[in-house]
Structure formats: structure tokens, C-alpha cells
Amino acid sequence: MYMKMDEQFKKELAKTNKFVNKVYEKMNLFPNPNEEINVTTAEGLTANKIKHGLRYCPCFIVQGETKEEKRKSDNRVCPCKPALEKEIPEDGVCHCGIFCNKEFVEKNKTI
């Protein structure tokens, strides 16, 4: 895990999980069949929310120090445009692995 599971982190993780569930519902996406990927990614999103103020994708290093620098940089805020426009349609899953289409989930289910 990225940080100690203190109260602030626990509260923010609960908000992140709500956010992720809303994205699943709103965008007709599904959790990765590998639950460890979902947990780790949610923890990374939470850590970035606490540290940087937004749920930046945890698979990429956040560039910039100020809000303006971060906004101008090619930082990926979840769910990011490359995931929605390229990765999920082409690969069935975003780079971080938390958002998948139905076909990817069916193909990668474990019995």
C-alpha cells in the first residue's frame, strides 16, 4: 500500500470506491476480474487525491508542482481520456487495469 491506513486515508478510500463505482455505472464499464488490481489502483488513486488534490492515475508520475503546472502537463486524471478513447475500446482495459469492458471481463474471468 502507498501510505499508512490512517483515518484520512480510510475516509478518502471510501470516497474513491464510490467514485469508481459511479464510473462503472455511468460508462458501462466493469471491475477487473483480478481484484488485487482494483484494490491497488483504488489505493493509488486515493494516495494521489490526498497528495495532489485529484485522482491522478497511479500508473504515471504526476508532473508539476502547482495546480497550474499539473493542469498544463499531460497528467492523467481518472478516468483519463486515453483510457476512454483508446485503451478500453482497443484493449478492453485501461492502462491501470481498474476499468474494463464486458468482453475483457468475460475473456479473463477465473473460475
Side-chain angles (χ1 to χ4, degrees):
M1 182 169 11
Y2 293 98
M3 15 175 35
K4 185 180 174 193
M5 195 62 122
D6 62 12
E7 284 306 309
Q8 177 191 14
F9 190 86
K10 286 180 188 176
K11 287 178 185 177
E12 196 59 49
L13 181 59
K15 291 178 187 177
T16 296
N17 288 327
K18 275 185 174 180
F19 163 79
V20 168
N21 286 324
K22 284 182 183 179
V23 172
Y24 290 143
E25 186 179 313
K26 183 179 176 186
M27 304 195 142
N28 195 31
L29 297 172
F30 301 87
N32 196 306
N34 181 339
E35 184 58 27
E36 187 176 334
I37 289 172
N38 301 324
V39 169
T40 303
T41 303
E43 289 171 350
L45 289 167
T46 301
N48 280 340
K49 173 71 173 163
I50 292 168
K51 184 176 180 182
H52 300 289
L54 293 172
R55 289 185 184 92
Y56 291 103
C57 293
C59 298
F60 298 91
I61 296 171
V62 178
Q63 303 293 317
E65 296 299 318
T66 66
K67 282 184 181 181
E68 293 77 27
E69 289 172 348
K70 289 175 187 174
R71 197 175 305 123
K72 286 181 183 177
S73 225
D74 195 22
N75 292 317
R76 291 182 171 209
V77 176
C78 188
C80 66
K81 192 174 180 176
L84 297 173
E85 293 180 356
K86 184 172 177 24
E87 296 164 0
I88 297 170
E90 292 179 10
D91 304 328
V93 62
C94 70
H95 181 84
C96 296
I98 196 166
F99 298 118
C100 308
N101 64 23
K102 189 174 185 173
E103 295 77 22
F104 180 88
V105 172
E106 290 297 321
K107 192 169 120 180
N108 292 283
K109 258 191 214 176
T110 55
I111 299 173

